[in-house]
Every structure is written in C-alpha cells, then in structure tokens.
Amino acid sequence: WEKRYTEILQEFSFSRKKDTESARVLNSILKRKFPIKKLEKKIRNQTVFVVGAGSSLVSSIPILKKYKNIIKIVADGATRALIENKIIPDVVVTDLDGDPEFLTKASKGGSIMIVHSHGDNIEKLHLTSEFRSCIGTTEGQAFGKIHNFGGFTDGDRCVFLARYFMAKKIILFGMDFGSRIGQYSKIRVYDRRTKLRKLQTGKRLLEWLASKDSAGLYSTKPIKGFTRIRVSSLEKIISS
C-alpha cells in the first residue's frame, strides 16, 4: 500500500506531512480506541453490500431496502440517501465531506463510523466527537487509535475495509466511476475535473485489489476483476 500511497501523493500534489498532522489531530479527538474485533465480527465471512454515491444509487435503493439483513458499508454522501429511505448503514466510511446532519443521524442510529483523516479535512475532524462508535483511519502510517485499511476515496475504502476483514462476498452498488457525479456524492463539488480524477484513481485501486484475489467480488457496474452482475441474479449470488 505504501507504494500506492506515494503515487497518490505525487499525482495530486498532496502533502504527506499534512496527512500525518490530520491523523494526529483525529487521534487526539477520539475518546477511546474502538474494539476492532467488534467490526471484524460484523464483516468476516459475511456477504456485504458496498454502497457508493454514484448516479445509479437512487435506482439501487429498492434492492437495499429488500435485503434488510445484509451488512451495508456505505460511502459518505450515500448515507443521506439511505437515511432518507429509512435504511441505517451498518458502517459508514467518510472523510466528512457528506452532510453532517445525516452522518450524525447514522451514528445515532447505530452505524459504526470510519472517519478518514487527510490534509484537507483537519477543520472538520471535530465532528467526530459527536459520533458514538468511531474508528479513525489514514493513508499513511497507522498509530494509536488510527488505522490503515487501504483505499483512497470513500467508495474504494469501503471495499478495502470489507476485504481487510475478510468478507465472504462484496457486492457493489452505486459505484459507477463514470463521467457523471452522483447527486449524493458530496455537498458541493468545487472542482469537477479533480473529482473525476479521484474517482478514476479509486477505480484503479479496486482493479489492483482484485488482481490479487478476485474471489467474491461483484459489481453492478464494469470494474476489471469484479464479476459484473444483474439485479435479477442477486438472489442466487447471495444464497450460493
């Protein structure tokens, strides 16, 4: 992962020093170290739905509501779509770009919040003090209450998280990685070009992850190494 992280820093001219500073701030804010075993127990050997905030998210809502008992790991902005449809995510992966109101509602509803620290969100990290169950992450060196499960964007970090804790099957919804930015992607997109570049980097990271072991990886959208599925075949995949 260190090699991938270095490439990301170079590609986007990010500062490793600022990322480290952000991680230290988050570590100081978190009141206690969340028991990782609790998260592992929730995910290990389970079928997991990873829900992104792509433009196809809205059409996926009926499916997510139908399968109430499937673990749902949800990327940042997609949290609002689920909460508005009375679906409480099991896990929310966020760098706090999403609507704070709905992130807080998810936490109060019982979601485990995976908060990512990076150089551009230091001023938002105080929001984590409102979360009941919270785990801090970084793309750099893990330490203290801060972990590194891999991944770059909220969406691909969801997949890395599920793979890290050995989910049996990982099925992607709303993970489009196309030229359209979903309405739930973030509150405001100030630089559309950079946002799309980040999405493509996230897609490449998922393809890299799949190249190591593609077993149990499924997507409703084309991603190299993931088995592309139709909704009509979902029941068969889940039960197999």
PDB file of all heavy atoms in Angstrom, residues 15 32 55 103 120 128 141 143 178 202 232:
ATOM      1  N   SER A  15       0.200  16.532   0.450  1.00  0.00           N
ATOM      2  CA  SER A  15       1.307  16.609   1.399  1.00  0.00           C
ATOM      3  C   SER A  15       1.228  15.473   2.421  1.00  0.00           C
ATOM      4  O   SER A  15       0.252  15.363   3.161  1.00  0.00           O
ATOM      5  CB  SER A  15       1.264  17.957   2.138  1.00  0.00           C
ATOM      6  OG  SER A  15       2.093  17.942   3.268  1.00  0.00           O
ATOM      7  N   ARG A  32     -11.753   7.108  22.740  1.00  0.00           N
ATOM      8  CA  ARG A  32     -11.288   5.771  23.082  1.00  0.00           C
ATOM      9  C   ARG A  32     -11.029   4.974  21.804  1.00  0.00           C
ATOM     10  O   ARG A  32     -11.542   5.313  20.749  1.00  0.00           O
ATOM     11  CB  ARG A  32     -12.316   5.027  23.949  1.00  0.00           C
ATOM     12  CG  ARG A  32     -13.649   4.788  23.249  1.00  0.00           C
ATOM     13  CD  ARG A  32     -14.679   4.211  24.207  1.00  0.00           C
ATOM     14  NE  ARG A  32     -15.958   3.961  23.552  1.00  0.00           N
ATOM     15  CZ  ARG A  32     -16.284   2.818  22.963  1.00  0.00           C
ATOM     16  NH1 ARG A  32     -15.416   1.823  22.942  1.00  0.00           N
ATOM     17  NH2 ARG A  32     -17.463   2.662  22.393  1.00  0.00           N
ATOM     18  N   SER A  55     -24.296   7.933  -9.580  1.00  0.00           N
ATOM     19  CA  SER A  55     -25.604   8.318 -10.115  1.00  0.00           C
ATOM     20  C   SER A  55     -26.606   7.173 -10.130  1.00  0.00           C
ATOM     21  O   SER A  55     -27.811   7.401 -10.192  1.00  0.00           O
ATOM     22  CB  SER A  55     -25.442   8.897 -11.521  1.00  0.00           C
ATOM     23  OG  SER A  55     -24.774   7.983 -12.379  1.00  0.00           O
ATOM     24  N   LEU A 103     -24.779  12.200   8.657  1.00  0.00           N
ATOM     25  CA  LEU A 103     -23.717  11.407   9.272  1.00  0.00           C
ATOM     26  C   LEU A 103     -24.013  11.224  10.754  1.00  0.00           C
ATOM     27  O   LEU A 103     -23.864  10.125  11.310  1.00  0.00           O
ATOM     28  CB  LEU A 103     -22.357  12.083   9.075  1.00  0.00           C
ATOM     29  CG  LEU A 103     -21.834  12.161   7.633  1.00  0.00           C
ATOM     30  CD1 LEU A 103     -20.537  12.971   7.589  1.00  0.00           C
ATOM     31  CD2 LEU A 103     -21.614  10.774   7.042  1.00  0.00           C
ATOM     32  N   ASP A 120      -6.712  17.836   3.909  1.00  0.00           N
ATOM     33  CA  ASP A 120      -7.726  18.833   3.556  1.00  0.00           C
ATOM     34  C   ASP A 120      -8.955  18.829   4.460  1.00  0.00           C
ATOM     35  O   ASP A 120      -9.897  19.581   4.207  1.00  0.00           O
ATOM     36  CB  ASP A 120      -8.188  18.623   2.109  1.00  0.00           C
ATOM     37  CG  ASP A 120      -7.101  18.936   1.096  1.00  0.00           C
ATOM     38  OD1 ASP A 120      -6.208  19.743   1.432  1.00  0.00           O
ATOM     39  OD2 ASP A 120      -7.134  18.388  -0.016  1.00  0.00           O
ATOM     40  N   THR A 128     -16.221  14.414  14.664  1.00  0.00           N
ATOM     41  CA  THR A 128     -16.156  13.036  15.144  1.00  0.00           C
ATOM     42  C   THR A 128     -16.497  12.925  16.625  1.00  0.00           C
ATOM     43  O   THR A 128     -16.863  11.849  17.104  1.00  0.00           O
ATOM     44  CB  THR A 128     -14.768  12.423  14.905  1.00  0.00           C
ATOM     45  OG1 THR A 128     -13.781  13.210  15.588  1.00  0.00           O
ATOM     46  CG2 THR A 128     -14.436  12.403  13.430  1.00  0.00           C
ATOM     47  N   GLN A 141       0.991   5.987   7.945  1.00  0.00           N
ATOM     48  CA  GLN A 141       1.347   5.021   8.989  1.00  0.00           C
ATOM     49  C   GLN A 141       0.277   4.963  10.078  1.00  0.00           C
ATOM     50  O   GLN A 141      -0.134   5.991  10.614  1.00  0.00           O
ATOM     51  CB  GLN A 141       2.688   5.414   9.612  1.00  0.00           C
ATOM     52  CG  GLN A 141       3.215   4.434  10.637  1.00  0.00           C
ATOM     53  CD  GLN A 141       3.588   3.102  10.014  1.00  0.00           C
ATOM     54  OE1 GLN A 141       4.208   3.056   8.956  1.00  0.00           O
ATOM     55  NE2 GLN A 141       3.215   2.009  10.670  1.00  0.00           N
ATOM     56  N   PHE A 143      -1.158   4.324  13.805  1.00  0.00           N
ATOM     57  CA  PHE A 143      -0.609   4.520  15.151  1.00  0.00           C
ATOM     58  C   PHE A 143      -1.773   4.813  16.103  1.00  0.00           C
ATOM     59  O   PHE A 143      -2.847   5.238  15.673  1.00  0.00           O
ATOM     60  CB  PHE A 143       0.383   5.696  15.170  1.00  0.00           C
ATOM     61  CG  PHE A 143      -0.267   7.030  14.914  1.00  0.00           C
ATOM     62  CD1 PHE A 143      -0.643   7.854  15.971  1.00  0.00           C
ATOM     63  CD2 PHE A 143      -0.522   7.453  13.610  1.00  0.00           C
ATOM     64  CE1 PHE A 143      -1.256   9.077  15.731  1.00  0.00           C
ATOM     65  CE2 PHE A 143      -1.139   8.675  13.367  1.00  0.00           C
ATOM     66  CZ  PHE A 143      -1.501   9.496  14.425  1.00  0.00           C
ATOM     67  N   GLY A 178     -17.955   6.723 -13.403  1.00  0.00           N
ATOM     68  CA  GLY A 178     -18.132   7.234 -14.759  1.00  0.00           C
ATOM     69  C   GLY A 178     -17.875   8.731 -14.840  1.00  0.00           C
ATOM     70  O   GLY A 178     -17.197   9.319 -13.990  1.00  0.00           O
ATOM     71  N   GLY A 202      -9.646   5.811  -7.677  1.00  0.00           N
ATOM     72  CA  GLY A 202     -10.318   4.833  -6.834  1.00  0.00           C
ATOM     73  C   GLY A 202     -10.633   3.555  -7.592  1.00  0.00           C
ATOM     74  O   GLY A 202     -10.456   2.451  -7.065  1.00  0.00           O
ATOM     75  N   SER A 232     -31.228  -9.243 -11.325  1.00  0.00           N
ATOM     76  CA  SER A 232     -32.019 -10.471 -11.400  1.00  0.00           C
ATOM     77  C   SER A 232     -31.265 -11.696 -10.880  1.00  0.00           C
ATOM     78  O   SER A 232     -31.878 -12.692 -10.482  1.00  0.00           O
ATOM     79  CB  SER A 232     -32.477 -10.721 -12.843  1.00  0.00           C
ATOM     80  OG  SER A 232     -31.353 -10.810 -13.710  1.00  0.00           O
TER      81      SER A 232
END
